[in-house]
Amino acid sequence: MVPHPPLIVPEVGKGEERKIQNTIDAYQKAAAWIGELGPETVVLLSPHQTMYADYFHISPGKGARGDFGQFGAGQVKLETVYDTEFVRKLCKLLDEERFPAGTDGEREKRLDHGTMAPLYFINQYWKEYQLVRIGLSGLPLVEHYRLGQHIAKTAELLGRRTVLVGSGDLSHRLKEDGPYGFREEGPAYDRRIMDVMGRAAFGELLDFPEDFCEKAGECGHRSFTIMAGALDEREVTANRLSYEGPFGVGYGICMYEVRGNNPTRNFKEQYEKREQEKLLRMREQEDAYVQLARKTIESYVRTGEILDVPEGLPEEMYRDRAGTFVSIKKDGSLRGCIGTIKATQTSIAMEIINNAVSASARDYRFSPIEPEELEKLIISVDILGECEKIDSPAQLDVKRYGVIVTKGRKRGLLLPNLDGVDTIEEQIAIAKRKAGIGEEEEAGLERFEVIRHF
């Protein structure tokens, strides 16, 4: 587990690197250890490699090169040879599992600084390796952990002596004069992640809320989670080497040595069991609104048929009309959300059915939900009240009111009381982005209340 600040390279830092001397010393120790291990393959996970929302990119080809030119040190160059056999074997394994990863979609062949910073140190002690370079994704953390398991299996199948490097800085929000200013979640994240990684308590990585990580401005959590997955069911010795953050960005270094197998460290399996138990408890408590959305989604995903309005619903679901939103989450991440501001159907029941189908199959941000996902879905239904125009953001309340922004034909909506949206300013800014309205542009405002059903 290593950071990747470009200024750690003396030609880039020009003396500033001395302010993170503890990080440099720890890096040297970690790289020297890698040299002693003499790996045939180094698998390097970088947040600055090609990244997609729903796909892990593995660099194709025979190799790549790069330099620190964008940081004023073009004379510092690196070149590496890819382990093409490892990549082929890994991709074959992933394809068999229908796992969303592979060599498609390369956008930049040159080495990124998240890859070059670790290699700069490793190359001082060992060069007789081939590289496998993998990017992150916007998929849930548990999918990153699964990728790590596939990487470990590939190394075992090939009999490769392998070192895996999780490249990533910690919070970027430790100081007011840092790159993204200060937020209290920044130091809180760094304390928590260094505690977890220092204990090799890898199962706890899956419990970090997405909105907490986003507010902390972290960089490497997904890298570390993939690395953790590669160590699933392994007994490891953890060595926490250093942590510091003088520039407003956290840098942490830890090393892990496999000491054998340990079936009790099956963290993904434990996590999924806890989640399944939680889902079962939630399903037992779902009201008629959510039950209707769930039945609609299950019917459409399995058969392609749209559910008829069933009997036995509360009377108001047949009698009343209103705009509704159906939101779907999986593994803590949004999986689909579609709704209507005003009623378009003859009843709330019909409105829910229409929007549930759309949320499961027609949300352009996501691929359609597959049958094997149905048991993992958390569903909520919002029933919208009447919209009213307001004169000022002061008339909003991020927990109570949703907001609609309008400029000409552009219109964007954001529901109230959403995870990670804590201020009116954030609420309006997100609604504007959804509408394609510039953040500084004036826009008309409306507010509405919702009744949320879980």
Side-chain angles (χ1 to χ4, degrees):
M1 167 187 166
V2 295
H4 49 240
L7 64 77
I8 205 169
V9 176
E11 290 86 346
V12 176
K14 296 180 170 60
E16 285 293 295
E17 74 277 6
R18 299 189 194 102
K19 295 178 181 178
I20 52 170
Q21 191 60 48
N22 288 343
T23 300
I24 293 172
D25 294 343
Y27 233 130
Q28 294 287 0
K29 184 175 181 179
W33 181 56
I34 291 173
E36 292 171 9
L37 294 173
E40 299 164 276
T41 300
V42 172
V43 178
L44 204 147
L45 315 162
S46 171
H48 299 285
Q49 155 75 303
T50 297
M51 181 173 174
Y52 291 100
D54 57 357
Y55 180 82
F56 294 93
H57 177 71
I58 303 167
S59 287
K62 296 181 178 180
R65 61 185 65 183
D67 59 58
F68 285 91
Q70 70 180 108
F71 306 103
Q75 72 274 26
V76 182
K77 305 177 187 293
L78 288 95
E79 187 169 355
T80 189
V81 174
Y82 288 149
D83 189 337
T84 55
E85 185 183 13
F86 195 109
V87 170
R88 280 197 302 272
K89 190 71 172 179
L90 175 59
C91 288
K92 184 174 185 295
L93 185 64
L94 295 168
D95 285 344
E96 290 170 354
E97 297 289 329
R98 296 182 63 195
F99 189 86
T103 55
D104 293 338
E106 184 175 52
R107 294 198 297 255
E108 175 56 68
K109 291 186 178 182
R110 294 178 61 81
L111 297 175
D112 62 282
H113 75 273
T115 298
M116 290 190 293
L119 295 186
Y120 173 84
F121 286 93
I122 293 170
N123 288 353
Q124 295 174 33
Y125 296 90
W126 183 251
K127 293 184 178 180
E128 303 305 313
Y129 65 86
Q130 293 183 315
L131 185 70
V132 176
R133 180 170 161 238
I134 302 176
L136 314 180
S137 82
L139 291 166
L141 291 173
V142 70
E143 296 301 306
H144 289 73
Y145 197 97
R146 283 182 62 204
L147 176 58
Q149 291 179 298
H150 290 308
I151 292 169
K153 186 174 181 180
T154 302
E156 289 176 346
L157 290 171
L158 291 173
R160 283 284 200 280
R161 192 166 61 255
T162 304
V163 165
L164 193 147
V165 179
S167 174
D169 298 335
L170 307 186
S171 172
H172 286 61
R173 291 173 174 160
L174 301 181
K175 292 183 175 182
E176 289 292 353
D177 59 353
Y180 296 100
F182 175 82
R183 287 195 69 147
E184 62 182 14
E185 291 86 358
Y189 174 85
D190 281 13
R191 286 192 297 270
R192 184 172 171 184
I193 192 69
M194 290 306 297
D195 172 60
V196 167
M197 300 306 285
R199 292 183 289 114
F202 297 140
E204 296 179 30
L205 286 169
L206 302 173
D207 295 327
F208 279 64
E210 292 277 1
D211 63 310
F212 172 65
C213 290
E214 184 176 346
K215 290 175 183 176
E218 59 78 24
C219 167
H221 197 92
R222 285 170 167 78
S223 289
F224 311 150
T225 305
I226 298 173
M227 182 183 69
L231 299 173
D232 192 65
E233 295 197 27
R234 266 84 170 175
E235 187 65 49
V236 301
T237 298
N239 188 355
R240 172 178 163 156
L241 297 182
S242 69
Y243 170 79
E244 54 188 345
F247 305 116
V249 180
Y251 306 132
I253 297 182
C254 296
M255 303 191 308
Y256 306 93
E257 185 171 8
V258 177
R259 294 295 190 183
N261 294 328
N262 185 345
T264 68
R265 289 176 61 84
N266 55 335
F267 296 122
K268 183 179 78 72
E269 188 176 323
Q270 294 175 29
Y271 169 80
E272 290 179 335
K273 183 179 179 181
R274 291 196 307 273
E275 287 297 297
Q276 190 60 37
E277 290 171 350
K278 183 172 76 173
L279 284 170
L280 287 173
R281 289 194 299 271
M282 292 181 68
R283 290 187 71 154
E284 289 171 357
Q285 298 170 7
E286 289 176 350
D287 67 11
Y289 292 78
V290 179
Q291 288 176 8
L292 177 60
R294 185 178 293 280
K295 288 177 183 176
T296 300
I297 292 166
E298 290 176 348
S299 172
Y300 190 78
V301 170
R302 287 182 173 134
T303 69
E305 296 180 2
I306 297 176
L307 191 74
D308 292 329
V309 177
E311 297 180 357
L313 299 174
E315 179 59 32
E316 69 269 14
M317 295 180 69
Y318 302 111
R319 180 191 66 225
D320 298 342
R321 303 178 68 225
T324 72
F325 270 76
V326 175
S327 301
I328 307 169
K329 286 188 174 183
K330 176 190 168 191
D331 294 324
S333 297
L334 189 66
R335 189 63 181 84
C337 180
I338 294 289
T340 44
I341 298 174
K342 294 184 178 180
T344 62
Q345 303 296 318
T346 57
S347 67
I348 285 177
M350 281 298 300
E351 204 80 35
I352 291 172
I353 289 171
N354 265 34
N355 289 334
V357 168
S358 295
S360 66
R362 300 168 188 164
D363 188 332
Y364 69 91
R365 298 168 295 178
F366 306 98
S367 59
I369 288 172
E370 300 288 346
E372 58 267 24
E373 298 180 83
L374 293 172
E375 293 301 316
K376 295 184 176 182
L377 303 182
I378 294 176
I379 300 169
S380 62
V381 176
D382 288 318
I383 307 300
L384 277 61
E386 290 296 320
C387 300
E388 58 176 329
K389 291 186 178 180
I390 56 174
D391 302 318
S392 164
Q395 295 172 271
L396 289 170
D397 180 326
V398 72
K399 298 298 182 185
R400 178 180 176 184
Y401 295 113
V403 66
I404 299 170
V405 296
T406 306
K407 185 176 181 64
R409 294 184 176 180
K410 296 179 179 178
R411 203 175 195 200
L413 175 148
L414 197 69
L415 296 168
N417 199 22
L418 296 177
D419 292 339
V421 183
D422 299 322
T423 68
I424 293 168
E425 291 75 19
E426 288 176 316
Q427 189 184 39
I428 293 174
I430 295 170
K432 282 184 172 180
R433 284 201 297 273
K434 292 175 73 173
I437 300 171
E439 197 164 328
E440 302 304 319
E441 292 185 70
E442 291 290 328
L445 296 175
E446 296 173 81
R447 71 182 185 185
F448 59 91
E449 293 185 86
V450 305
I451 299 174
R452 181 160 294 162
H453 298 265
F454 294 97

